[in-house]
Amino acid sequence: MKFMKLGSKPDAFQTDGDKIRYVATELATDIVVNVGDVKFYLHKFPLLSKSARLQKLVSLSNEENSDEIHILDIPGGAAAFEICAKFCYGMIVTLNAYNVIAARCAAEYLEMYETIEKGNLIYKIEVFLNSSIFRSWKDSIIVLQTTKSLLPWSEELKVVNHCLDSIASKACIDTSKVEWSYTYNRKKLPSENGDDSHWNGVRTQKLVPKDWWVEDLCELQVDLYKRAIMTIKTRGRISGDVIGEALKAYASRRLPGFSKGMVQGGDIAKNRLLVDTIVQLLPSGKGEVSCNFLLKLLKAVILLDCGEMGKIELMKRIGQQLDEATVADLLVRAPAGETTIYDVDMVQNLVEEFVTQVQNVHTDLHMENEYHEIRSPKFVSDASKLMVAKLVDGYLAEVARDPNLPLTKFLRLAESVSSFSRPSHDGLYRAIDMYLKEHPGISKSERKKICRLMDCRKLSPDACLHAVQNERLPLRVVVQVLFFEQMRASAASAGDSTPDLPSTIRALLPGSGSHGSSRSTTTNTEDDWDAIPTIEEIRALKGELAALKLGNGDRNGSDIAKNNAEKVSGNKMKGMLISKKIFSKLWSNKDRNGEISSSETSESPGSSNAEETKSTPSRSLRHSIS
């Protein structure tokens, strides 16, 4: 810390209690200066020789035949006046970053100008500020902090602006010229202490990160911090990602619990102002602030009820980079009064914002010329959509545990990303299974709707194995899973086409109509969706799947493939016969119930009427794949 000593005489100021100051000299004092509730017993001559205001006040007191004057509004109070009085006496005074601005404002109040005496206090303080304080990074921050208690004097004297300019200029200089601060969280590196085993007596140039300054500014109050960041941004030399890191560090330091995704304790009004300020200071560029930080800000805005404008702005920005989020980021508690545990509506809005962004991108690409379209990174958009689809699947699996989550919210969120192609539906299957587990009392039509979200053809072998044994799934879904697993095994074994199954068996399968046909093979009742396979049927289906895997496993032995060809073929045919037997059994049970007539076999499952088609918009997409 920089400091400056003024004067040469010993300090003769003494104290008598808390409210009395006097100068210990042989010469009797002849004036009493009342600064607030503190009395100073002083001498007129040294004071009047350097202060124009004291000259005026003493003149007025003489007219009133009084030896006392009153100063009630001097900036810095009694402490600042004492510094000025000691300077008038020529006593030793030490100025530093903590008291220099108070002394400067008090000197201005007392009118200690050069016109009164050369080398007066104002002049000396200005030299100290410009030659030392404003050249020091730490001292500039300390001085800026002290200006808050000295308003409006510090503003009128341009001290605040000078501090801000000093801080901004230092934050923007080349990092190779920075002597990195060791304050707050930063610790010296082993090489800087000479303890590094690889140092070898040669001190290498330490690498200073671009955000070296962010921790130091966290000590500023929110209003001064806002002005400091705005001054830094106006210079245009600091990238948006560094500004984002600065805001993140400030929020973590100033908002208790923010780093854990919540705000706990503190003054609510103060915390609300702080969050609003950070939202206003966010850099405008996409990706310059992490999605995790934005979501934490959104949680704070909701918790502190900061207003709709900040919330809308944050949701728009989060939606633009939703592919960076994690499931944990999205688990925001529902507002008070809601029956659900998590705020699913908020996540729905974020996903819709992302979908809108994707649609806008495609529109812009369509309007571009051919040259630009070739250069447009469309694969990034596809990757982002895949990430968001997986994110929604994972989120649904978490919120599905909530027994109060309505199916309508589950379906709406799942269908909002149904157009995003993804190679695996394992995550969606997990979410559906979790919802069925936690909501066993849903109706047949609801069971039908939720199961239609999933494409059985996109389940992994492990997921298929689980689904075949899953008693919570409707029988129809279990049969579909087994069939597609058989198709996969058959195609892998010898490149065979779809097994030749009877039309009554195919009626249980999606997309069994002709390619490109909008009609289905059969009209379904709700019972086949709501039916649950018996233990015997589960065991039979499980055995069928094991037989398929066994046959396929034999095929994978490349060294004995030719010798075991007949065995593989026999296993495959055996598996097909078993599956036909099971399918026929399941179907004969339905025939006995009179559920399907001969005239219904010309329509495929899943589009029995227009009303069902409207209620499940993703259905036509699934059944368009044969």
Side-chain angles (χ1 to χ4, degrees):
M1 180 185 296
K2 306 292 184 181
F3 66 93
M4 179 176 70
K5 285 189 175 181
L6 300 176
S8 57
K9 299 178 181 178
D11 185 356
F13 267 69
Q14 295 186 12
T15 301
D16 185 3
D18 295 333
K19 305 298 182 181
I20 296 177
R21 306 281 192 276
Y22 64 93
V23 179
T25 64
E26 296 179 356
L27 185 64
T29 60
D30 55 3
I31 187 173
V32 178
V33 181
N34 295 277
V35 181
D37 57 353
V38 180
K39 288 181 176 292
F40 288 87
Y41 291 87
L42 305 172
H43 302 85
K44 291 182 181 179
F45 178 73
L47 298 178
L48 302 186
S49 65
K50 292 181 172 60
S51 171
R53 179 177 283 263
L54 288 178
Q55 291 177 8
K56 299 172 188 176
L57 293 175
V58 169
S59 177
L60 290 175
S61 66
N62 289 337
E63 294 177 0
E64 298 172 356
N65 295 321
S66 173
D67 60 353
E68 290 193 20
I69 60 177
H70 296 271
I71 300 176
L72 302 177
D73 55 350
I74 184 172
F81 176 80
E82 186 172 336
I83 292 175
C84 296
K86 288 180 179 179
F87 174 79
C88 292
Y89 278 92
M91 298 177 185
I92 296 176
V93 178
T94 301
L95 296 178
N96 54 46
Y98 290 100
N99 64 12
V100 66
I101 300 302
R104 173 66 181 89
C105 294
E108 186 72 23
Y109 177 90
L110 295 173
E111 301 176 13
M112 303 176 72
Y113 303 130
E114 288 293 282
T115 54
I116 303 300
E117 183 178 83
K118 291 293 185 181
N120 214 338
L121 184 57
I122 290 178
Y123 170 77
K124 291 185 179 295
I125 290 178
E126 287 292 333
V127 171
F128 178 52
L129 289 173
N130 294 319
S131 63
S132 297
I133 294 296
F134 294 148
R135 292 176 180 268
S136 168
W137 167 254
K138 294 180 182 178
D139 288 344
S140 295
I141 296 175
I142 295 171
V143 165
L144 182 60
Q145 288 176 287
T146 65
T147 61
K148 189 173 179 61
S149 62
L150 297 167
L151 297 174
W153 287 88
S154 56
E155 286 283 7
E156 294 175 356
L157 295 176
K158 307 298 183 182
V159 176
V160 177
N161 288 338
H162 288 160
C163 289
L164 293 171
D165 289 340
S166 172
I167 291 171
S169 62
K170 290 172 177 57
C172 295
I173 64 175
D174 191 283
T175 55
S176 63
K177 301 177 182 179
V178 175
E179 183 65 28
W180 196 0
S181 171
Y182 295 108
T183 57
Y184 312 122
N185 293 338
R186 204 279 188 172
K187 296 181 180 180
K188 286 187 177 182
L189 301 174
S191 60
E192 295 169 334
N193 289 324
D195 299 332
D196 192 356
S197 59
H198 301 288
W199 184 45
N200 295 327
V202 179
R203 188 173 298 279
T204 58
Q205 179 67 33
K206 61 180 180 293
L207 298 177
V208 178
K210 293 184 294 183
D211 61 350
W212 63 269
W213 50 270
V214 303
E215 289 287 345
D216 292 346
L217 291 192
C218 290
E219 294 302 306
L220 295 175
Q221 296 295 323
V222 63
D223 52 345
L224 292 176
Y225 182 82
K226 177 180 180 180
R227 294 179 64 178
I229 294 296
M230 291 179 66
T231 305
I232 292 173
K233 290 173 69 175
T234 54
R235 291 184 175 251
R237 300 177 187 175
I238 299 295
S239 60
D241 59 327
V242 176
I243 297 295
E245 282 299 313
L247 297 176
K248 181 179 179 180
Y250 191 74
S252 299
R253 177 76 67 86
R254 289 287 177 170
L255 288 171
F258 181 83
S259 59
K260 298 180 180 179
M262 62 187 72
V263 179
Q264 298 174 325
D267 187 339
I268 294 180
K270 184 178 178 181
N271 290 341
R272 186 181 294 125
L273 174 62
L274 194 150
V275 171
D276 283 338
T277 300
I278 292 176
V279 172
Q280 294 172 16
L281 293 174
L282 289 173
S284 58
K286 178 182 177 182
E288 292 179 334
V289 181
S290 69
C291 189
N292 175 270
F293 177 48
L294 292 174
L295 279 162
K296 288 180 178 179
L297 279 178
L298 180 60
K299 294 177 184 179
V301 166
I302 295 173
L303 181 63
L304 297 171
D305 193 20
C306 293
E308 286 299 314
M309 293 302 297
K311 181 179 178 181
I312 292 173
E313 176 63 23
L314 283 174
M315 294 188 70
K316 181 178 180 181
R317 298 192 58 161
I318 295 170
Q320 293 176 350
Q321 51 193 99
L322 189 60
D323 53 315
E324 301 173 12
T326 65
V327 173
D329 293 335
L330 297 180
L331 294 177
V332 180
R333 288 284 176 175
E338 293 287 337
T339 58
T340 57
I341 299 176
Y342 298 107
D343 194 345
V344 181
D345 292 334
M346 185 203 73
V347 176
Q348 178 70 45
N349 292 334
L350 294 177
V351 174
E352 290 176 355
E353 186 67 42
F354 179 82
V355 172
T356 301
Q357 177 206 4
V358 171
Q359 293 172 346
N360 292 339
V361 168
H362 287 311
T363 301
D364 294 340
L365 291 176
H366 181 71
M367 297 177 63
E368 288 178 356
N369 58 40
E370 182 178 355
Y371 172 74
H372 287 138
E373 285 187 11
I374 294 174
R375 298 187 55 172
S376 298
K378 295 182 182 180
F379 65 94
V380 176
S381 178
D382 291 339
S384 297
K385 289 189 289 185
L386 177 59
M387 292 296 294
V388 171
K390 291 182 177 179
L391 177 68
V392 171
D393 291 347
Y395 179 79
L396 287 172
E398 290 297 323
V399 299
R401 305 172 191 269
D402 181 2
N404 295 324
L405 178 67
L407 180 63
T408 53
K409 290 189 177 184
F410 186 99
L411 292 174
R412 183 185 175 201
L413 184 55
E415 289 170 353
S416 62
V417 294
S418 61
S419 61
F420 294 172
S421 176
R422 48 197 187 275
S424 173
H425 273 203
D426 284 11
L428 184 56
Y429 166 67
R430 176 171 173 265
I432 292 172
D433 181 47
M434 184 59 65
Y435 193 89
L436 293 175
K437 178 181 179 182
E438 298 294 336
H439 304 79
I442 64 174
S443 66
K444 298 177 182 179
S445 61
E446 290 174 332
R447 187 183 299 272
K448 179 178 180 180
K449 289 178 181 179
I450 194 171
C451 288
R452 277 185 171 161
L453 294 170
M454 176 179 61
D455 189 343
C456 297
R457 284 163 288 205
K458 294 186 177 182
L459 296 181
S460 66
D462 289 339
C464 287
L465 183 60
H466 184 279
V468 168
Q469 304 174 74
N470 192 343
E471 297 181 2
R472 291 184 287 273
L473 292 179
L475 179 59
R476 184 181 193 83
V477 176
V478 176
V479 172
Q480 289 177 6
V481 171
L482 179 60
F483 174 76
F484 289 123
E485 185 68 10
Q486 179 170 331
M487 287 179 59
R488 182 157 37 194
S490 299
S493 61
D496 291 345
S497 58
T498 303
D500 184 17
L501 301 177
S503 60
T504 54
I505 297 176
R506 288 181 175 272
L508 286 169
L509 306 171
S512 55
S514 60
H515 292 276
S517 174
S518 61
R519 296 179 60 78
S520 312
T521 306
T522 180
T523 302
N524 305 308
T525 65
E526 302 291 352
D527 295 335
D528 62 318
W529 281 95
D530 200 48
I532 302 297
T534 64
I535 296 177
E536 292 75 12
E537 290 167 346
I538 287 290
R539 288 175 179 173
L541 294 171
K542 183 178 178 182
E544 165 66 5
L545 188 56
L548 290 174
K549 289 183 176 294
L550 178 62
N552 193 36
D554 289 339
R555 181 192 61 81
N556 291 333
S558 57
D559 296 335
I560 59 173
K562 293 182 180 180
N563 295 333
N564 292 336
E566 294 182 0
K567 182 179 180 181
V568 172
S569 178
N571 283 331
K572 189 184 73 169
M573 291 301 297
K574 179 181 178 181
M576 290 174 59
L577 291 173
I578 294 173
S579 67
K580 289 181 181 181
K581 182 178 180 181
I582 296 171
F583 291 150
S584 298
K585 174 182 177 294
L586 298 176
W587 192 254
S588 64
N589 290 336
K590 293 174 61 58
D591 265 343
R592 284 196 296 271
N593 293 331
E595 293 179 357
I596 300 180
S597 64
S598 59
S599 62
E600 290 173 333
T601 58
S602 61
E603 295 182 351
S604 69
S607 58
S608 58
N609 53 55
E611 181 179 352
E612 290 180 352
T613 303
K614 293 179 181 178
S615 65
T616 55
S618 61
R619 167 184 174 189
S620 60
L621 176 62
R622 275 198 311 280
H623 293 302
S624 65
I625 305 174
S626 59

